[in-house]
Amino acid sequence: IAGCASEADKETINAMVSTTTTFERDTFPFTFEYPDGFEFTDKVSASRQLGGGDAADEAVAIVMDEDNGLAIERYTLNAEVSQADLGLVKRELDGLIQHLDPDAAGEAGELAGFPSLTYAAVAVPGLKDGETRIIALFEGDQEYLIHCQSTPEGRDEVEQACNLAVDTLARAS
């Protein structure tokens, strides 16, 4: 499934492909490309967690600066999630995300063979005019979140990086 990129964005993304790095970790069952101008870090902090629940089992980020970038998290769930369960999971996740942004509603789908939910332009509390696109991927009892967080100053670059990540997302071999 192609990402949400417009034709102009896809041209920009294609131009960036020659200068990309691959996100690849043993603990994440997928890979994707991101622009070389972004830096990988495993020093991630979240100022507010959805639902106030347990911390992520693992959190890493690919950042442009402290407010702009992609955060990638892994959580262990209480139950396995399949494509058939996505409607129920969507209602639960919609409720959590609506605590941050009352207008947020996820779009169910499949990305790289993973059941997925995507939330566009969710407000980020505590970050002036900050917003994030949230992509949730599920495999068994694991949930993987990709947050594409940006401020107005970094929005275009983060959106291009997020579109590139979604368009190149693949199951790890």
Side-chain angles (χ1 to χ4, degrees):
I1 292 180
C4 302
S6 69
E7 288 306 313
D9 286 340
K10 286 180 181 175
E11 287 178 21
T12 302
I13 290 167
N14 288 338
M16 292 188 320
V17 169
S18 62
T19 59
T20 63
T21 301
T22 301
F23 171 82
E24 191 168 22
R25 304 269 296 178
D26 291 342
T27 51
F28 290 86
F30 53 82
T31 64
F32 61 80
E33 299 296 313
Y34 63 91
D36 280 342
F38 285 64
E39 181 179 329
F40 176 86
T41 181
D42 57 5
K43 294 174 178 36
V44 178
S45 66
S47 60
R48 179 164 181 183
Q49 180 145 347
L50 292 177
D54 295 331
D57 296 334
E58 182 176 8
V60 297
I62 298 163
V63 298
M64 197 171 82
D65 59 43
E66 68 181 26
D67 294 329
N68 295 282
L70 285 66
I72 304 97
E73 302 168 325
R74 179 176 53 83
Y75 295 87
T76 300
L77 304 173
N78 294 328
E80 292 193 1
V81 174
S82 68
Q83 196 70 39
D85 305 316
L86 212 48
L88 177 62
V89 174
K90 179 187 177 315
R91 285 191 296 278
E92 187 173 327
L93 199 50
D94 280 359
L96 289 173
I97 290 175
Q98 286 168 355
H99 286 290
L100 300 176
D101 186 344
D103 297 326
E107 181 180 325
E110 186 176 290
L111 290 171
F114 298 98
S116 68
L117 295 169
T118 301
Y119 296 82
V122 175
V124 176
L127 185 61
K128 184 170 172 39
D129 298 321
E131 64 182 43
T132 186
R133 182 188 332 171
I134 301 170
I135 301 153
L137 306 172
F138 302 93
E139 182 177 61
D141 69 348
Q142 299 294 297
E143 175 183 30
Y144 304 93
L145 295 179
I146 301 171
H147 299 267
C148 302
Q149 177 181 296
S150 63
T151 60
E153 297 77 26
R155 189 137 306 136
D156 289 344
E157 292 91 340
V158 170
E159 276 302 305
Q160 289 171 359
C162 195
N163 289 340
L164 177 62
V166 169
D167 287 346
T168 59
L169 186 73
R171 280 196 177 270
S173 42

